[in-house]
Amino acid sequence: MIRPVLYVDLPGIIYAIDRRARSRQHEFANFVCWPEPVEHQLPPSPILRNIFPLNPAARTWICEDHWRILGFAQVRERPQHIAWDMSYLASMIRQDISGEEILTALLEYTLEMAAVHGILRIFAKVEDEIPEMDLFLRAGFQRYARELTYVYDPKTTTLEPEADLPSLRRWNRHHVWGLHQLYRAVTPKRVQMAELLESSEEFAKLHVGSLQPLPSLFRKGNENFVCDVGVRLGAWLRLFRGHGSIPHRVALIVHPEHTELAEPLLRFGIRRLLETGVQRIFCLVREYDSGVITALCNSGFKQAAIKVLLVRHVASLATRQRTVPLLEQRAAYGLKGLGTVNSRQKIMR
């Protein structure tokens, strides 16, 4: 049976238990999708977390049998409320039940729930060349890019001084349109068609965060900078400050005609992050962004992982007669089912 559960970070708890078990040469669960440590943006303070324990943007489902958890899936909603990111998909390690069956059932259930809630696209990240990739392909997911994880270790790398950046500016609300044009200049058309980030507001909310001015208390761990070269934005930089065991993160987009900005901007970000803590620094970059990849390698970053980016376009269900537009006063329509059986036709007058 698959049922929803309240968001109490159950997947995160099981993920932590699994990683501890694997450090002792044991397996607890098989994780196919999980967020990188740096994909969690700045978490709320403990006080706010206790006041608001639920995350309305996350949905979690568990597959169980007689109160035994067999697997679980979790999605997070994007700002425009028409797309989900699959943050977790996992099956528990059991000898009596096939993990592939559990994962397939959870994946199919997630697609059904997406259609019910009016979600148009589901995105997922999966490690390259794992067997479970076939589950996604059979469910209709399509590959559209690969994402590379680079890591900077300050304990083993010496940072060279960065050059001056006279065009460097702090992020401002009026840079929203320019940031979207920067994304379009860097991103291949096939990727743009897969992601369909056609709204500059949506893109900015997804990558920059809130577009409204925030008190310094809330933006302390998150900074955005741009290089304004006059006719366009030449580059954009986002810094996430880690704490404790959570690493720092840097995100960078550089216009193809201004690749000379990549290295000094990246080194500026590294130096600024290391001022508050000597944690490792992560950077997630697409395989086609060669200018940023070159700057990462020249600045001491090492490649650590490769993930495949997948998307599944979902057809929404028309559940109300008035949501179907009619050009004539009398019309007949039918919907094709998931198999080969057609549904009954409905006559509307």
Side-chain angles (χ1 to χ4, degrees), residues 126-158:
V126 181
E127 281 191 324
D128 199 6
E129 298 182 354
I130 63 172
E132 289 81 3
M133 177 70 72
D134 291 338
L135 300 179
F136 286 87
L137 299 180
R138 289 200 298 266
F141 282 80
Q142 298 176 339
R143 310 182 190 199
Y144 65 91
R146 294 196 306 172
E147 185 177 73
L148 315 179
T149 301
Y150 280 83
V151 182
Y152 179 91
D153 190 348
K155 298 179 181 178
T156 60
T157 308
T158 302

PDB file of all heavy atoms in Angstrom, residues 126-158:
ATOM      1  N   VAL A 126      19.617  11.463 -11.346  1.00  0.00           N
ATOM      2  CA  VAL A 126      19.995  10.074 -11.100  1.00  0.00           C
ATOM      3  C   VAL A 126      21.462   9.900 -11.456  1.00  0.00           C
ATOM      4  O   VAL A 126      21.931  10.465 -12.454  1.00  0.00           O
ATOM      5  CB  VAL A 126      19.122   9.104 -11.944  1.00  0.00           C
ATOM      6  CG1 VAL A 126      19.502   7.662 -11.661  1.00  0.00           C
ATOM      7  CG2 VAL A 126      17.645   9.328 -11.643  1.00  0.00           C
ATOM      8  N   GLU A 127      22.173   9.136 -10.653  1.00  0.00           N
ATOM      9  CA  GLU A 127      23.576   8.872 -10.959  1.00  0.00           C
ATOM     10  C   GLU A 127      23.709   8.219 -12.324  1.00  0.00           C
ATOM     11  O   GLU A 127      22.901   7.378 -12.708  1.00  0.00           O
ATOM     12  CB  GLU A 127      24.202   7.978  -9.887  1.00  0.00           C
ATOM     13  CG  GLU A 127      24.592   8.706  -8.617  1.00  0.00           C
ATOM     14  CD  GLU A 127      25.433   7.829  -7.709  1.00  0.00           C
ATOM     15  OE1 GLU A 127      25.172   6.618  -7.657  1.00  0.00           O
ATOM     16  OE2 GLU A 127      26.352   8.353  -7.062  1.00  0.00           O
ATOM     17  N   ASP A 128      24.742   8.609 -13.029  1.00  0.00           N
ATOM     18  CA  ASP A 128      24.959   8.107 -14.387  1.00  0.00           C
ATOM     19  C   ASP A 128      25.258   6.608 -14.377  1.00  0.00           C
ATOM     20  O   ASP A 128      25.996   6.117 -13.520  1.00  0.00           O
ATOM     21  CB  ASP A 128      26.123   8.861 -15.028  1.00  0.00           C
ATOM     22  CG  ASP A 128      26.122   8.750 -16.545  1.00  0.00           C
ATOM     23  OD1 ASP A 128      25.153   8.192 -17.096  1.00  0.00           O
ATOM     24  OD2 ASP A 128      27.082   9.212 -17.174  1.00  0.00           O
ATOM     25  N   GLU A 129      24.616   5.884 -15.308  1.00  0.00           N
ATOM     26  CA  GLU A 129      24.886   4.476 -15.577  1.00  0.00           C
ATOM     27  C   GLU A 129      24.514   3.538 -14.433  1.00  0.00           C
ATOM     28  O   GLU A 129      25.123   2.479 -14.258  1.00  0.00           O
ATOM     29  CB  GLU A 129      26.359   4.271 -15.944  1.00  0.00           C
ATOM     30  CG  GLU A 129      26.786   5.019 -17.208  1.00  0.00           C
ATOM     31  CD  GLU A 129      28.228   4.768 -17.565  1.00  0.00           C
ATOM     32  OE1 GLU A 129      28.928   4.101 -16.769  1.00  0.00           O
ATOM     33  OE2 GLU A 129      28.664   5.232 -18.626  1.00  0.00           O
ATOM     34  N   ILE A 130      23.501   3.876 -13.633  1.00  0.00           N
ATOM     35  CA  ILE A 130      23.028   2.925 -12.640  1.00  0.00           C
ATOM     36  C   ILE A 130      21.889   2.103 -13.241  1.00  0.00           C
ATOM     37  O   ILE A 130      21.180   2.568 -14.145  1.00  0.00           O
ATOM     38  CB  ILE A 130      22.551   3.623 -11.345  1.00  0.00           C
ATOM     39  CG1 ILE A 130      21.348   4.539 -11.641  1.00  0.00           C
ATOM     40  CG2 ILE A 130      23.679   4.397 -10.701  1.00  0.00           C
ATOM     41  CD1 ILE A 130      20.708   5.090 -10.381  1.00  0.00           C
ATOM     42  N   PRO A 131      21.661   0.864 -12.780  1.00  0.00           N
ATOM     43  CA  PRO A 131      20.601   0.018 -13.369  1.00  0.00           C
ATOM     44  C   PRO A 131      19.209   0.625 -13.258  1.00  0.00           C
ATOM     45  O   PRO A 131      18.360   0.405 -14.125  1.00  0.00           O
ATOM     46  CB  PRO A 131      20.709  -1.284 -12.561  1.00  0.00           C
ATOM     47  CG  PRO A 131      22.088  -1.286 -11.989  1.00  0.00           C
ATOM     48  CD  PRO A 131      22.441   0.148 -11.758  1.00  0.00           C
ATOM     49  N   GLU A 132      18.942   1.386 -12.194  1.00  0.00           N
ATOM     50  CA  GLU A 132      17.608   1.945 -11.986  1.00  0.00           C
ATOM     51  C   GLU A 132      17.238   3.006 -13.007  1.00  0.00           C
ATOM     52  O   GLU A 132      16.083   3.431 -13.050  1.00  0.00           O
ATOM     53  CB  GLU A 132      17.510   2.537 -10.571  1.00  0.00           C
ATOM     54  CG  GLU A 132      17.492   1.525  -9.452  1.00  0.00           C
ATOM     55  CD  GLU A 132      18.883   1.024  -9.082  1.00  0.00           C
ATOM     56  OE1 GLU A 132      19.863   1.534  -9.682  1.00  0.00           O
ATOM     57  OE2 GLU A 132      18.979   0.155  -8.202  1.00  0.00           O
ATOM     58  N   MET A 133      18.184   3.407 -13.827  1.00  0.00           N
ATOM     59  CA  MET A 133      17.878   4.382 -14.874  1.00  0.00           C
ATOM     60  C   MET A 133      16.768   3.862 -15.792  1.00  0.00           C
ATOM     61  O   MET A 133      15.918   4.633 -16.273  1.00  0.00           O
ATOM     62  CB  MET A 133      19.131   4.683 -15.685  1.00  0.00           C
ATOM     63  CG  MET A 133      18.931   5.623 -16.857  1.00  0.00           C
ATOM     64  SD  MET A 133      18.583   7.311 -16.373  1.00  0.00           S
ATOM     65  CE  MET A 133      20.223   7.769 -15.780  1.00  0.00           C
ATOM     66  N   ASP A 134      16.752   2.554 -16.041  1.00  0.00           N
ATOM     67  CA  ASP A 134      15.729   1.974 -16.913  1.00  0.00           C
ATOM     68  C   ASP A 134      14.322   2.173 -16.361  1.00  0.00           C
ATOM     69  O   ASP A 134      13.358   2.257 -17.132  1.00  0.00           O
ATOM     70  CB  ASP A 134      15.998   0.477 -17.118  1.00  0.00           C
ATOM     71  CG  ASP A 134      17.241   0.232 -17.962  1.00  0.00           C
ATOM     72  OD1 ASP A 134      17.632   1.150 -18.703  1.00  0.00           O
ATOM     73  OD2 ASP A 134      17.816  -0.873 -17.858  1.00  0.00           O
ATOM     74  N   LEU A 135      14.178   2.228 -15.027  1.00  0.00           N
ATOM     75  CA  LEU A 135      12.861   2.448 -14.437  1.00  0.00           C
ATOM     76  C   LEU A 135      12.301   3.799 -14.874  1.00  0.00           C
ATOM     77  O   LEU A 135      11.117   3.923 -15.198  1.00  0.00           O
ATOM     78  CB  LEU A 135      12.948   2.390 -12.908  1.00  0.00           C
ATOM     79  CG  LEU A 135      13.451   1.092 -12.279  1.00  0.00           C
ATOM     80  CD1 LEU A 135      13.500   1.233 -10.770  1.00  0.00           C
ATOM     81  CD2 LEU A 135      12.553  -0.074 -12.681  1.00  0.00           C
ATOM     82  N   PHE A 136      13.148   4.808 -14.890  1.00  0.00           N
ATOM     83  CA  PHE A 136      12.711   6.140 -15.287  1.00  0.00           C
ATOM     84  C   PHE A 136      12.401   6.189 -16.783  1.00  0.00           C
ATOM     85  O   PHE A 136      11.405   6.805 -17.192  1.00  0.00           O
ATOM     86  CB  PHE A 136      13.790   7.168 -14.939  1.00  0.00           C
ATOM     87  CG  PHE A 136      13.896   7.470 -13.485  1.00  0.00           C
ATOM     88  CD1 PHE A 136      14.692   6.696 -12.654  1.00  0.00           C
ATOM     89  CD2 PHE A 136      13.193   8.525 -12.923  1.00  0.00           C
ATOM     90  CE1 PHE A 136      14.796   6.972 -11.306  1.00  0.00           C
ATOM     91  CE2 PHE A 136      13.285   8.812 -11.575  1.00  0.00           C
ATOM     92  CZ  PHE A 136      14.091   8.027 -10.757  1.00  0.00           C
ATOM     93  N   LEU A 137      13.228   5.546 -17.581  1.00  0.00           N
ATOM     94  CA  LEU A 137      12.995   5.568 -19.018  1.00  0.00           C
ATOM     95  C   LEU A 137      11.695   4.854 -19.372  1.00  0.00           C
ATOM     96  O   LEU A 137      10.946   5.295 -20.242  1.00  0.00           O
ATOM     97  CB  LEU A 137      14.182   4.932 -19.743  1.00  0.00           C
ATOM     98  CG  LEU A 137      15.534   5.637 -19.541  1.00  0.00           C
ATOM     99  CD1 LEU A 137      16.627   4.911 -20.320  1.00  0.00           C
ATOM    100  CD2 LEU A 137      15.451   7.096 -19.949  1.00  0.00           C
ATOM    101  N   ARG A 138      11.417   3.753 -18.695  1.00  0.00           N
ATOM    102  CA  ARG A 138      10.149   3.042 -18.945  1.00  0.00           C
ATOM    103  C   ARG A 138       8.951   3.858 -18.483  1.00  0.00           C
ATOM    104  O   ARG A 138       7.846   3.691 -19.006  1.00  0.00           O
ATOM    105  CB  ARG A 138      10.157   1.680 -18.234  1.00  0.00           C
ATOM    106  CG  ARG A 138      11.108   0.664 -18.853  1.00  0.00           C
ATOM    107  CD  ARG A 138      10.732  -0.742 -18.441  1.00  0.00           C
ATOM    108  NE  ARG A 138      10.826  -0.949 -16.997  1.00  0.00           N
ATOM    109  CZ  ARG A 138      11.901  -1.434 -16.383  1.00  0.00           C
ATOM    110  NH1 ARG A 138      12.992  -1.746 -17.087  1.00  0.00           N
ATOM    111  NH2 ARG A 138      11.919  -1.608 -15.076  1.00  0.00           N
ATOM    112  N   ALA A 139       9.154   4.733 -17.496  1.00  0.00           N
ATOM    113  CA  ALA A 139       8.057   5.568 -16.995  1.00  0.00           C
ATOM    114  C   ALA A 139       7.877   6.833 -17.834  1.00  0.00           C
ATOM    115  O   ALA A 139       7.031   7.666 -17.501  1.00  0.00           O
ATOM    116  CB  ALA A 139       8.308   5.940 -15.538  1.00  0.00           C
ATOM    117  N   GLY A 140       8.653   6.988 -18.894  1.00  0.00           N
ATOM    118  CA  GLY A 140       8.476   8.124 -19.787  1.00  0.00           C
ATOM    119  C   GLY A 140       9.394   9.301 -19.527  1.00  0.00           C
ATOM    120  O   GLY A 140       9.243  10.359 -20.161  1.00  0.00           O
ATOM    121  N   PHE A 141      10.351   9.169 -18.602  1.00  0.00           N
ATOM    122  CA  PHE A 141      11.304  10.254 -18.373  1.00  0.00           C
ATOM    123  C   PHE A 141      12.292  10.328 -19.535  1.00  0.00           C
ATOM    124  O   PHE A 141      12.620   9.323 -20.160  1.00  0.00           O
ATOM    125  CB  PHE A 141      12.078  10.025 -17.068  1.00  0.00           C
ATOM    126  CG  PHE A 141      11.311  10.380 -15.829  1.00  0.00           C
ATOM    127  CD1 PHE A 141      10.361   9.514 -15.308  1.00  0.00           C
ATOM    128  CD2 PHE A 141      11.530  11.588 -15.184  1.00  0.00           C
ATOM    129  CE1 PHE A 141       9.656   9.821 -14.157  1.00  0.00           C
ATOM    130  CE2 PHE A 141      10.830  11.915 -14.032  1.00  0.00           C
ATOM    131  CZ  PHE A 141       9.893  11.032 -13.522  1.00  0.00           C
ATOM    132  N   GLN A 142      12.785  11.525 -19.798  1.00  0.00           N
ATOM    133  CA  GLN A 142      13.746  11.757 -20.875  1.00  0.00           C
ATOM    134  C   GLN A 142      14.987  12.433 -20.318  1.00  0.00           C
ATOM    135  O   GLN A 142      14.902  13.327 -19.480  1.00  0.00           O
ATOM    136  CB  GLN A 142      13.134  12.635 -21.969  1.00  0.00           C
ATOM    137  CG  GLN A 142      11.920  12.022 -22.643  1.00  0.00           C
ATOM    138  CD  GLN A 142      11.284  12.958 -23.641  1.00  0.00           C
ATOM    139  OE1 GLN A 142      11.478  14.167 -23.578  1.00  0.00           O
ATOM    140  NE2 GLN A 142      10.534  12.408 -24.581  1.00  0.00           N
ATOM    141  N   ARG A 143      16.149  12.005 -20.812  1.00  0.00           N
ATOM    142  CA  ARG A 143      17.394  12.682 -20.444  1.00  0.00           C
ATOM    143  C   ARG A 143      17.502  13.989 -21.230  1.00  0.00           C
ATOM    144  O   ARG A 143      17.170  14.032 -22.402  1.00  0.00           O
ATOM    145  CB  ARG A 143      18.615  11.816 -20.782  1.00  0.00           C
ATOM    146  CG  ARG A 143      18.552  10.392 -20.280  1.00  0.00           C
ATOM    147  CD  ARG A 143      19.837   9.689 -20.636  1.00  0.00           C
ATOM    148  NE  ARG A 143      19.766   8.259 -20.388  1.00  0.00           N
ATOM    149  CZ  ARG A 143      20.825   7.476 -20.275  1.00  0.00           C
ATOM    150  NH1 ARG A 143      22.035   7.993 -20.422  1.00  0.00           N
ATOM    151  NH2 ARG A 143      20.685   6.187 -20.036  1.00  0.00           N
ATOM    152  N   TYR A 144      18.032  15.013 -20.573  1.00  0.00           N
ATOM    153  CA  TYR A 144      18.247  16.259 -21.326  1.00  0.00           C
ATOM    154  C   TYR A 144      19.593  16.906 -21.021  1.00  0.00           C
ATOM    155  O   TYR A 144      20.006  17.834 -21.719  1.00  0.00           O
ATOM    156  CB  TYR A 144      17.108  17.258 -21.087  1.00  0.00           C
ATOM    157  CG  TYR A 144      16.986  17.787 -19.678  1.00  0.00           C
ATOM    158  CD1 TYR A 144      17.641  18.959 -19.285  1.00  0.00           C
ATOM    159  CD2 TYR A 144      16.181  17.148 -18.738  1.00  0.00           C
ATOM    160  CE1 TYR A 144      17.510  19.464 -18.014  1.00  0.00           C
ATOM    161  CE2 TYR A 144      16.047  17.652 -17.465  1.00  0.00           C
ATOM    162  CZ  TYR A 144      16.713  18.800 -17.100  1.00  0.00           C
ATOM    163  OH  TYR A 144      16.576  19.287 -15.827  1.00  0.00           O
ATOM    164  N   ALA A 145      20.307  16.456 -19.989  1.00  0.00           N
ATOM    165  CA  ALA A 145      21.637  16.997 -19.705  1.00  0.00           C
ATOM    166  C   ALA A 145      22.279  16.164 -18.604  1.00  0.00           C
ATOM    167  O   ALA A 145      21.650  15.282 -18.012  1.00  0.00           O
ATOM    168  CB  ALA A 145      21.567  18.469 -19.290  1.00  0.00           C
ATOM    169  N   ARG A 146      23.547  16.462 -18.360  1.00  0.00           N
ATOM    170  CA  ARG A 146      24.254  15.875 -17.230  1.00  0.00           C
ATOM    171  C   ARG A 146      24.785  16.999 -16.344  1.00  0.00           C
ATOM    172  O   ARG A 146      25.180  18.047 -16.826  1.00  0.00           O
ATOM    173  CB  ARG A 146      25.416  14.983 -17.687  1.00  0.00           C
ATOM    174  CG  ARG A 146      24.976  13.740 -18.428  1.00  0.00           C
ATOM    175  CD  ARG A 146      26.098  12.715 -18.509  1.00  0.00           C
ATOM    176  NE  ARG A 146      27.329  13.280 -19.079  1.00  0.00           N
ATOM    177  CZ  ARG A 146      28.490  12.631 -19.114  1.00  0.00           C
ATOM    178  NH1 ARG A 146      28.588  11.429 -18.582  1.00  0.00           N
ATOM    179  NH2 ARG A 146      29.552  13.201 -19.671  1.00  0.00           N
ATOM    180  N   GLU A 147      24.780  16.739 -15.046  1.00  0.00           N
ATOM    181  CA  GLU A 147      25.247  17.717 -14.075  1.00  0.00           C
ATOM    182  C   GLU A 147      26.478  17.171 -13.359  1.00  0.00           C
ATOM    183  O   GLU A 147      26.467  16.047 -12.848  1.00  0.00           O
ATOM    184  CB  GLU A 147      24.147  18.037 -13.058  1.00  0.00           C
ATOM    185  CG  GLU A 147      24.500  19.143 -12.087  1.00  0.00           C
ATOM    186  CD  GLU A 147      23.356  19.466 -11.162  1.00  0.00           C
ATOM    187  OE1 GLU A 147      23.092  18.653 -10.255  1.00  0.00           O
ATOM    188  OE2 GLU A 147      22.700  20.521 -11.339  1.00  0.00           O
ATOM    189  N   LEU A 148      27.534  17.973 -13.318  1.00  0.00           N
ATOM    190  CA  LEU A 148      28.797  17.560 -12.718  1.00  0.00           C
ATOM    191  C   LEU A 148      28.951  18.235 -11.357  1.00  0.00           C
ATOM    192  O   LEU A 148      28.652  19.425 -11.195  1.00  0.00           O
ATOM    193  CB  LEU A 148      29.971  17.946 -13.617  1.00  0.00           C
ATOM    194  CG  LEU A 148      29.816  17.636 -15.119  1.00  0.00           C
ATOM    195  CD1 LEU A 148      31.055  18.092 -15.873  1.00  0.00           C
ATOM    196  CD2 LEU A 148      29.563  16.159 -15.343  1.00  0.00           C
ATOM    197  N   THR A 149      29.411  17.479 -10.379  1.00  0.00           N
ATOM    198  CA  THR A 149      29.675  18.005  -9.042  1.00  0.00           C
ATOM    199  C   THR A 149      31.171  18.218  -8.878  1.00  0.00           C
ATOM    200  O   THR A 149      31.952  17.279  -9.032  1.00  0.00           O
ATOM    201  CB  THR A 149      29.169  17.052  -7.953  1.00  0.00           C
ATOM    202  OG1 THR A 149      27.760  16.852  -8.114  1.00  0.00           O
ATOM    203  CG2 THR A 149      29.423  17.615  -6.566  1.00  0.00           C
ATOM    204  N   TYR A 150      31.569  19.462  -8.585  1.00  0.00           N
ATOM    205  CA  TYR A 150      32.962  19.803  -8.333  1.00  0.00           C
ATOM    206  C   TYR A 150      33.117  20.225  -6.873  1.00  0.00           C
ATOM    207  O   TYR A 150      32.228  20.871  -6.311  1.00  0.00           O
ATOM    208  CB  TYR A 150      33.423  20.930  -9.251  1.00  0.00           C
ATOM    209  CG  TYR A 150      33.780  20.468 -10.642  1.00  0.00           C
ATOM    210  CD1 TYR A 150      32.798  20.296 -11.616  1.00  0.00           C
ATOM    211  CD2 TYR A 150      35.097  20.197 -10.997  1.00  0.00           C
ATOM    212  CE1 TYR A 150      33.121  19.870 -12.894  1.00  0.00           C
ATOM    213  CE2 TYR A 150      35.436  19.773 -12.266  1.00  0.00           C
ATOM    214  CZ  TYR A 150      34.445  19.612 -13.215  1.00  0.00           C
ATOM    215  OH  TYR A 150      34.775  19.190 -14.482  1.00  0.00           O
ATOM    216  N   VAL A 151      34.262  19.852  -6.284  1.00  0.00           N
ATOM    217  CA  VAL A 151      34.506  20.121  -4.868  1.00  0.00           C
ATOM    218  C   VAL A 151      35.852  20.819  -4.707  1.00  0.00           C
ATOM    219  O   VAL A 151      36.848  20.425  -5.319  1.00  0.00           O
ATOM    220  CB  VAL A 151      34.492  18.817  -4.038  1.00  0.00           C
ATOM    221  CG1 VAL A 151      34.704  19.131  -2.559  1.00  0.00           C
ATOM    222  CG2 VAL A 151      33.194  18.060  -4.241  1.00  0.00           C
ATOM    223  N   TYR A 152      35.865  21.841  -3.873  1.00  0.00           N
ATOM    224  CA  TYR A 152      37.084  22.578  -3.532  1.00  0.00           C
ATOM    225  C   TYR A 152      37.406  22.294  -2.068  1.00  0.00           C
ATOM    226  O   TYR A 152      36.587  22.538  -1.178  1.00  0.00           O
ATOM    227  CB  TYR A 152      36.876  24.068  -3.755  1.00  0.00           C
ATOM    228  CG  TYR A 152      38.062  24.931  -3.403  1.00  0.00           C
ATOM    229  CD1 TYR A 152      39.024  25.249  -4.359  1.00  0.00           C
ATOM    230  CD2 TYR A 152      38.216  25.451  -2.111  1.00  0.00           C
ATOM    231  CE1 TYR A 152      40.115  26.058  -4.041  1.00  0.00           C
ATOM    232  CE2 TYR A 152      39.296  26.262  -1.790  1.00  0.00           C
ATOM    233  CZ  TYR A 152      40.241  26.555  -2.758  1.00  0.00           C
ATOM    234  OH  TYR A 152      41.323  27.353  -2.444  1.00  0.00           O
ATOM    235  N   ASP A 153      38.596  21.763  -1.812  1.00  0.00           N
ATOM    236  CA  ASP A 153      39.036  21.472  -0.452  1.00  0.00           C
ATOM    237  C   ASP A 153      40.074  22.506  -0.040  1.00  0.00           C
ATOM    238  O   ASP A 153      41.209  22.487  -0.522  1.00  0.00           O
ATOM    239  CB  ASP A 153      39.633  20.072  -0.372  1.00  0.00           C
ATOM    240  CG  ASP A 153      39.895  19.631   1.066  1.00  0.00           C
ATOM    241  OD1 ASP A 153      39.828  20.494   1.957  1.00  0.00           O
ATOM    242  OD2 ASP A 153      40.167  18.440   1.288  1.00  0.00           O
ATOM    243  N   PRO A 154      39.735  23.435   0.853  1.00  0.00           N
ATOM    244  CA  PRO A 154      40.690  24.497   1.223  1.00  0.00           C
ATOM    245  C   PRO A 154      41.914  23.982   1.964  1.00  0.00           C
ATOM    246  O   PRO A 154      42.930  24.667   2.019  1.00  0.00           O
ATOM    247  CB  PRO A 154      39.849  25.423   2.107  1.00  0.00           C
ATOM    248  CG  PRO A 154      38.758  24.553   2.638  1.00  0.00           C
ATOM    249  CD  PRO A 154      38.459  23.561   1.560  1.00  0.00           C
ATOM    250  N   LYS A 155      41.824  22.767   2.501  1.00  0.00           N
ATOM    251  CA  LYS A 155      42.960  22.224   3.245  1.00  0.00           C
ATOM    252  C   LYS A 155      44.071  21.728   2.333  1.00  0.00           C
ATOM    253  O   LYS A 155      45.213  21.571   2.765  1.00  0.00           O
ATOM    254  CB  LYS A 155      42.485  21.091   4.151  1.00  0.00           C
ATOM    255  CG  LYS A 155      41.474  21.526   5.210  1.00  0.00           C
ATOM    256  CD  LYS A 155      41.024  20.362   6.054  1.00  0.00           C
ATOM    257  CE  LYS A 155      39.987  20.804   7.089  1.00  0.00           C
ATOM    258  NZ  LYS A 155      39.505  19.661   7.904  1.00  0.00           N
ATOM    259  N   THR A 156      43.738  21.463   1.079  1.00  0.00           N
ATOM    260  CA  THR A 156      44.737  20.922   0.156  1.00  0.00           C
ATOM    261  C   THR A 156      44.983  21.820  -1.045  1.00  0.00           C
ATOM    262  O   THR A 156      45.731  21.448  -1.944  1.00  0.00           O
ATOM    263  CB  THR A 156      44.296  19.535  -0.342  1.00  0.00           C
ATOM    264  OG1 THR A 156      43.032  19.656  -1.022  1.00  0.00           O
ATOM    265  CG2 THR A 156      44.150  18.558   0.822  1.00  0.00           C
ATOM    266  N   THR A 157      44.344  22.985  -1.092  1.00  0.00           N
ATOM    267  CA  THR A 157      44.448  23.875  -2.250  1.00  0.00           C
ATOM    268  C   THR A 157      44.836  25.273  -1.809  1.00  0.00           C
ATOM    269  O   THR A 157      44.312  25.793  -0.815  1.00  0.00           O
ATOM    270  CB  THR A 157      43.108  23.937  -3.009  1.00  0.00           C
ATOM    271  OG1 THR A 157      42.662  22.614  -3.288  1.00  0.00           O
ATOM    272  CG2 THR A 157      43.274  24.692  -4.319  1.00  0.00           C
ATOM    273  N   THR A 158      45.761  25.867  -2.535  1.00  0.00           N
ATOM    274  CA  THR A 158      46.170  27.245  -2.281  1.00  0.00           C
ATOM    275  C   THR A 158      45.447  28.172  -3.247  1.00  0.00           C
ATOM    276  O   THR A 158      45.504  27.975  -4.461  1.00  0.00           O
ATOM    277  CB  THR A 158      47.693  27.403  -2.451  1.00  0.00           C
ATOM    278  OG1 THR A 158      48.366  26.513  -1.549  1.00  0.00           O
ATOM    279  CG2 THR A 158      48.116  28.839  -2.158  1.00  0.00           C
TER     280      THR A 158
END
